Amino acid sequence: MKFEHLKFVRVGVSLLFFVLTAIIFLDFSNLVPPAFAGGVLYLQFVPSMLKFVTLLSIGVAGFLVVLVLTILFGRIYCSTICPLGTFQDIIGFISRRVRKKKIYRVTPPHNLLRYSLLGATAVALLLGNGLLLNLLDPFSNFGRFCTNLFRPVLLGVNNAGAWLTETAGLYWLYRVDVKNIGMEALVFPLLMLTLVGWLAYRRGRLYCNTVCPVGALLSLISRYSLVRIAIDEGDCKGCGLCEKVCKSECIDRKLKTVDFDRCVGCFNCFDVCPRDGMTFLTPWNRGKFTVRPLPSARRPAVKRTDQVQVPADERRRQIIFGPLLALAAWQGVPQREKKQIVSTKASTVPELRTSAVSPPGSRSVEHFTSTCTACHLCVSACPTRVLAPALLQYGVFGILQPTLEYRSGFCNYDCVICGEVCPTGAILPLPLEEKKLVQLGIAKFVKENCIVETEGTDCGACSEHCPTKAVNMVPYKGKLVIPEMKPDYCIGCGACEHACPTKPYKAIYVDGNPVHKPARKPEAKQIDQKVDYKEDFPF
Amino acid sequence: MDRREFIRRSVGGSIVAGSAFALGDYGRLLAATPSPKPNAYDLVAVKGGEPDDMFDSAIEALGGIGAFVKKGQKVLVKPNIGWDVTPERGGNTHPKLVSRLVQHCLNAGAKEVYVFDHTCDNWIKTYKNSGVEKAAKDAGAKVVSGESESYYHEVDLPKGKRLTKAKVHELLLSADVFINAPILKHHSSSRVTIGLKNSMGMVWDRGYWHRNDLHQCIADFGTYRKPDLTVVDAYYVMKQNGPRGVSLSDVLTMKSQIVATDPVAADAAAAKIYGVEPRDIPHIAYAEQMGLGKTALETLNIKRIKL
């Protein structure tokens, strides 16, 4: 049977998912409607699974579709829907053109490593610790590449384009500053990009078959798939072309076997087979083909002379990089502001934060940190750039999960986009009017740091920006006015903190509510003044 | 309308967009001709009309926009677009006023009219929800972002007392004509915000102002470049909870407008409309002391129009 068109279809579908997913993450102008993003990302395995657990709604059960696909046809998720998979294929494509000599060769599986990582990830998750999942999940890793690494590059290109067109008097584009991605947050995505990129360049889909927990889980399931790729001995002439194009390194031309639980369903082998050697084996057509079973322990014959050994240091690297990253990221609080000459006295009282602030709709820090995989889609979508990857604000286990970072922005009063785009349910959608009454934290006023107190001049930047007037200016010495907090009305948006000009410590800052609380509705006091348009001017 | 009235209104620039096309170069020629100033007013105050109609009347009394905008010039119209609120909330300059201002400038032969603000809320949202972006674009203006530091370039303010340097948006540096189009409203920092305060939306680092005597910095920045015209929108006037406002109940519909060449006088008149003594607002008082204009409205030649 001929199936050479399958590869073509797979490439088309995978590029479609890849391009759409990338656009969703790179869209810096909020052009993509959240509903569209939700549709495209519906089938992403880990986010969908977490959202399903949170909402228990069949409407978010994209991962079940993936499971059904896997039990039917094997790991085709890995070669179509997974954006990191396609990313590796693109690197592999380049690699095959650059390094003409090298081709893929069958290698033994790293079952101990991959199933250990899967087990550790699962156990940690069940114990409520998602760090391992967050660090290894392919979708989230791809999201972090886009948001933290590719997006700044795109902005650079955009800004250069804007500058060029502006010199011609055209203002079609606008320049965008990178605000919410601190250098520290780049360390992990960069390490991961290097690892995944290097593995893909040298060894095809080795990441998917050694590190990726989704790959490992689907591997387990694919052992029981109904339709399996196999070599039909009757038609195979042993030319070995299939092995040379197998980026999972799971086809053994000598033994004429396909280690199907490592197969990512790319169909490259069907494409190259000059005869009908590659076939789909089902419970109903077994009799028609002669297919050799895999050797025991699912390993191709060991000690083969032409076999490529996995360097031991490669495996070690994968185990070591985790702790290394934590060390690398341990540089303290983000310092994103540029140095400035301060003419006034420096503020003296440090901010005392007891809790990080989680996004509106996340209900509590606990719900958020246990459900967020740090894919950074909200970081990318947030129009005010207040959402930024955390370092240690949520503790070591919450590394990279987004938090409200008021140095880079503040939460827009009339915006709920983070909840609309969040694919995991860590941030749940909130109707706008409800969101305006959710208190993420409470602003604390530190009079000792306030300009009105230290300089004796008017300021009021905090009250100016406050959307609910929870910070109000009240009479102070002489004609001065000074901020006064009405905490019940505070929603923790951080507009006050963002605007507060004192340095190095803010005179007003938001301390997070570990569990979000309801805020009081702002009072609407009518102006008691009539206007007579016929009346004379007051001058 | 007789012929004389027709010509007078063309000169005054009181032309709707459609008829501007019909008039073509003839209208522009007239508008660009220096008009005799029988009663050279220092300030025009209008009340009782829509923002665009009030501007038509006011600019007509000042001899038409052609007295300020010449053919081929690059004009900057700087409204207040600081907040993500709708026009009725009185947080931003009324889009109808911005639109009409742009039309007048283009009718007078301006090569380009630019509109921007360094906003407080997210600029994409404020530009959109204020209605200003659409109004300005529809009228033919180029609407530009103020959100990247790279648009701002450092200038010296030799006359400044606390503010001696500032990074200023490049449009202010390159424009031939600068029209300040603030909205009058309550302000928790500066008590009221009118024209002088609106200019703060053309610099990058506003935190510096807040740290270093806000009122003095506002006055200091006024020494950098005097607006050729100040048009104060006092149609929807926020009387409390400014400058952002909390709800519609903060707003009083006053249907007023002030147009003047003296930026301090414009602020003084607007302050009076708001209900405060101009000299009680420190930055207005400082600006007068620094010679930027007059608050003594009784010494000015004022045209008062009720529609």
Side-chain angles (χ1 to χ4, degrees), chain A residues 3-52:
Chain A
F3 289 104
E4 70 277 285
H5 54 280
L6 272 178
K7 181 196 170 184
F8 181 75
V9 173
R10 184 270 300 175
V11 169
V13 174
S14 67
L15 284 177
L16 185 70
F17 271 105
F18 179 83
V19 169
L20 290 179
T21 308
I23 287 174
I24 288 166
F25 274 98
L26 296 175
D27 167 29
F28 57 84
S29 304
N30 298 110
L31 296 173
V32 179
F36 177 78
V40 172
L41 305 182
Y42 178 76
L43 291 173
Q44 292 303 330
F45 191 82
V46 170
S48 159
M49 187 181 70
L50 291 170
K51 199 165 199 171
F52 181 76

Side-chain angles (χ1 to χ4, degrees), chain A residues 160-309:
Chain A
W163 179 79
L164 272 175
T165 48
E166 283 160 16
T167 53
L170 302 170
Y171 283 83
W172 297 332
L173 301 169
Y174 52 84
R175 304 178 209 171
V176 185
D177 296 347
V178 182
K179 285 206 288 189
N180 50 347
I181 311 290
M183 292 307 283
E184 301 88 343
L186 300 185
V187 173
F188 182 76
L190 259 179
L191 278 175
M192 210 60 185
L193 181 72
T194 312
L195 175 79
V196 174
W198 184 75
L199 285 180
Y201 191 79
R202 306 284 304 188
R203 300 286 304 278
R205 292 295 201 97
L206 193 60
Y207 177 86
C208 312
N209 280 325
T210 43
V211 184
C212 179
V214 179
L217 178 69
L218 298 184
S219 256
L220 281 178
I221 295 165
S222 71
R223 293 184 173 201
Y224 309 100
S225 294
L226 285 180
V227 182
R228 316 165 61 85
I229 293 172
I231 297 175
D232 176 17
E233 247 187 298
D235 267 324
C236 174
K237 287 190 72 184
C239 70
L241 281 175
C242 50
E243 179 177 328
K244 288 179 186 169
V245 296
C246 179
K247 56 202 177 201
S248 290
E249 302 178 335
C250 70
I251 296 180
D252 190 322
R253 72 176 188 278
K254 291 196 171 156
L255 296 176
K256 300 192 177 178
T257 54
V258 178
D259 184 5
F260 189 61
D261 63 330
R262 277 192 290 157
C263 169
V264 291
C266 71
F267 307 121
N268 284 356
C269 46
F270 284 89
D271 186 50
V272 294
C273 184
R275 295 167 62 95
D276 286 342
M278 302 308 302
T279 190
F280 286 109
L281 203 63
T282 67
W284 305 279
N285 68 3
R286 273 176 201 280
K288 284 170 34 190
F289 305 109
T290 323
V291 173
R292 287 197 200 175
L294 270 184
S296 60
R298 306 191 145 258
R299 282 167 171 272
V302 270
K303 305 291 177 225
R304 273 177 47 186
T305 45
D306 59 345
Q307 195 167 297
V308 181
Q309 283 293 328

Side-chain angles (χ1 to χ4, degrees), chain A residues 166 169 175 177 340 343-344 383 412 458-460 464 469 479 501 525 527 529 533-536 539, chain B residues 47 84 122 142 148-151 187-189 191 205 208 211-212 215 239-240 242-243 253 304 306:
Chain A
E166 283 160 16
R175 304 178 209 171
D177 296 347
Q340 247 155 359
S343 316
T344 51
N412 185 290
D458 269 326
C459 176
E464 188 180 321
K469 278 290 181 268
K479 285 185 170 178
K525 205 177 74 196
I527 296 285
Q529 188 179 333
Y533 304 119
K534 298 286 164 232
E535 199 180 49
D536 278 338
F539 44 80
Chain B
K47 77 191 307 191
D84 179 17
N122 174 253
K142 292 183 179 180
S148 171
E149 189 172 358
S150 60
Y151 287 120
H187 198 282
S188 55
S189 302
R191 315 298 169 83
D205 183 9
Y208 180 89
R211 278 194 299 278
N212 294 278
H215 286 288
K239 293 282 286 183
Q240 63 188 12
T253 307
R304 298 170 181 81
K306 287 181 206 168

Side-chain angles (χ1 to χ4, degrees), chain A residues 93-106:
Chain A
F93 180 83
I94 296 165
S95 165
R96 285 195 299 278
R97 262 138 201 83
V98 177
R99 320 154 54 227
K100 288 219 161 73
K101 277 176 80 180
K102 290 281 179 181
I103 33 141
Y104 303 119
R105 284 179 179 178
V106 66

